[in-house]
Amino acid sequence: MPMEETHPAPPGVRKPPTRGAPGLLLDLVRCLEPADLEKSLLEALLERLPGATALVSLQGRTPRPSRIASDRGVHRFPAGAPVPPLVAVPVMDRGEMLGWVGYADDEALGDRRDAALAALREVAEAAGIPARNARRHAATMELALRDPLTGLFNRRAFEAFLDREVHAARRYRRPLAVLMVDLDRFKEINDRLGHAAGDEALRCCARAVEKTIRRADVAARLGGDEFAILLPWTTARNAVQLGGRLLSALEEEPLELAEPRPARLVVGASLGAADLEQAGGRASRLLELADLAMFEAKRAGGRRVAGGPPPAGPLPPPHLPEDSR
């Protein structure tokens, strides 16, 4: 983000006036996205103290936030990492701390600490209600885009991510793959062990997926027992290898069921991989090919990956516990 000029304006050139508290509040309440609110707060801080390094955290009552936005970009801090020296004022609403605004306590701040505190108090006072609104908006969007049972993204979110990644893959000529996942004998699990066991099998698959994928990957529950994983910078061959790791993760964490009687259940899945090159650059064809590969894996007995070279080593056939009959 460009910083304002710190020198006096040339004759005949007027600098834009600093927004007062009422005008600032009107500007901020329009910012529903947390990132937009951060940007507006940084701009307001720089207007009031040109040349300083503005800092914003909207992570609530967190003494050592993992993420701080500044006019120079977003800074991330691992757990326990020290936060650089700063002068800060909390952002409050209804007695709750929703974050803080601040300036880096460095040479650029110099002897302007009193002016910095005055600016921070003014901006923090205007930021309380907008910060609450942004938090509510983020929570609402999270509910709208997440599957409530597994916590993964839902179909609507997956389709939006797919459109974005297909566009990027075409533009930058980079690989993109999809891995479809369908649980083996899921109806039988529900019929013989009950819907609670079926729900736990879905959650087990979601946990295994989250353990296996990278930060850049997108995992979603499309509906029923069908999952999909969007894999940027990945070919179908690489997706098959990831599918093998996912099957191993499922094998390593069987379900321990207490009802209707104690039982141990290994959740199996059939997986299908395809990439955008195979699909001729079309998103709909990419999903179709991954689906076809997944059905091929299911027809072959399940607990395997189709669409490319199979993972190394044999995989045991899917099974249900005998003592649950």
Side-chain angles (χ1 to χ4, degrees):
M1 179 183 297
M3 299 181 67
E4 282 199 0
E5 178 64 53
T6 60
H7 303 292
V13 178
R14 298 182 59 187
K15 295 181 69 175
T18 298
R19 294 167 292 174
L24 176 59
L25 177 59
L26 289 176
D27 285 345
L28 295 181
V29 293
R30 298 187 180 99
C31 301
L32 291 179
E33 294 289 343
D36 292 339
L37 180 57
E38 287 177 346
K39 180 180 178 181
S40 292
L41 289 172
L42 291 169
E43 290 174 349
L45 292 172
L46 290 175
E47 284 177 355
R48 284 154 178 77
L49 208 68
T53 300
L55 303 168
V56 172
S57 171
L58 297 178
Q59 288 188 286
R61 192 183 294 273
T62 305
R64 295 183 181 275
S66 60
R67 178 187 185 281
I68 297 177
S70 83
D71 55 290
R72 300 175 184 177
V74 174
H75 308 278
R76 300 186 183 277
F77 300 89
V83 174
L86 54 86
V87 178
V89 170
V91 173
M92 306 289 296
D93 183 58
R94 301 178 188 176
E96 181 183 2
M97 180 178 172
L98 303 176
W100 51 261
V101 292
Y103 294 108
D105 193 0
D106 53 18
E107 292 182 1
L109 187 64
D111 58 359
R112 298 185 292 170
R113 292 175 65 88
D114 290 343
L117 285 170
L120 291 171
R121 292 188 184 105
E122 181 184 6
V123 173
E125 182 178 357
I129 293 174
R132 174 78 64 186
N133 290 344
R135 177 175 291 190
R136 287 174 175 167
H137 178 73
T140 300
M141 292 302 296
E142 185 78 2
L143 289 174
L145 299 177
R146 293 281 181 179
D147 170 52
L149 179 65
T150 63
L152 300 181
F153 286 110
N154 59 22
R155 179 182 289 273
R156 177 190 300 177
F158 180 81
E159 290 173 350
F161 282 117
L162 177 65
D163 287 343
R164 185 192 70 181
E165 292 298 334
V166 166
H167 177 76
R170 288 171 177 165
R171 181 175 181 180
Y172 299 109
R173 298 182 181 180
R174 67 191 193 197
L176 174 69
V178 165
L179 188 65
M180 302 295 290
V181 183
D182 193 85
L183 298 191
D184 294 334
R185 301 170 66 185
F186 182 69
K187 184 178 184 301
E188 190 174 346
I189 294 174
N190 274 328
D191 292 344
R192 289 171 51 184
L193 303 178
H195 289 282
D199 288 349
E200 188 55 35
L202 294 172
R203 286 190 285 263
C204 176
C205 182
R207 289 193 297 270
V209 167
E210 289 180 320
K211 283 178 53 179
T212 306
I213 63 175
R214 306 163 300 178
R215 184 187 295 268
D217 301 334
V218 177
R221 180 188 175 202
L222 302 186
D225 61 327
E226 187 177 21
F227 298 80
I229 307 173
L230 187 60
L231 303 165
W233 293 98
T234 305
T235 64
R237 183 183 184 90
N238 298 141
V240 168
Q241 294 172 348
L242 183 140
R245 295 196 296 272
L246 175 55
L247 290 174
S248 297
L250 285 169
E251 185 76 20
E252 291 167 3
E253 292 193 14
L255 299 183
E256 302 291 342
L257 303 174
E259 295 179 357
R261 64 182 64 181
R264 188 171 182 268
L265 172 64
V266 175
V267 179
S270 300
L271 290 77
D275 61 33
L276 197 59
E277 183 179 4
Q278 294 173 328
R282 291 184 293 152
S284 59
R285 182 59 176 165
L286 174 61
L287 295 180
E288 181 183 357
L289 289 177
D291 244 349
L292 290 172
M294 182 268 293
F295 282 116
E296 178 186 336
K298 194 169 285 289
R299 283 194 299 268
R303 192 146 324 159
R304 67 193 67 213
V305 192
L315 290 167
H319 69 276
L320 288 170
E322 294 300 321
D323 59 354
S324 67
R325 296 182 184 274

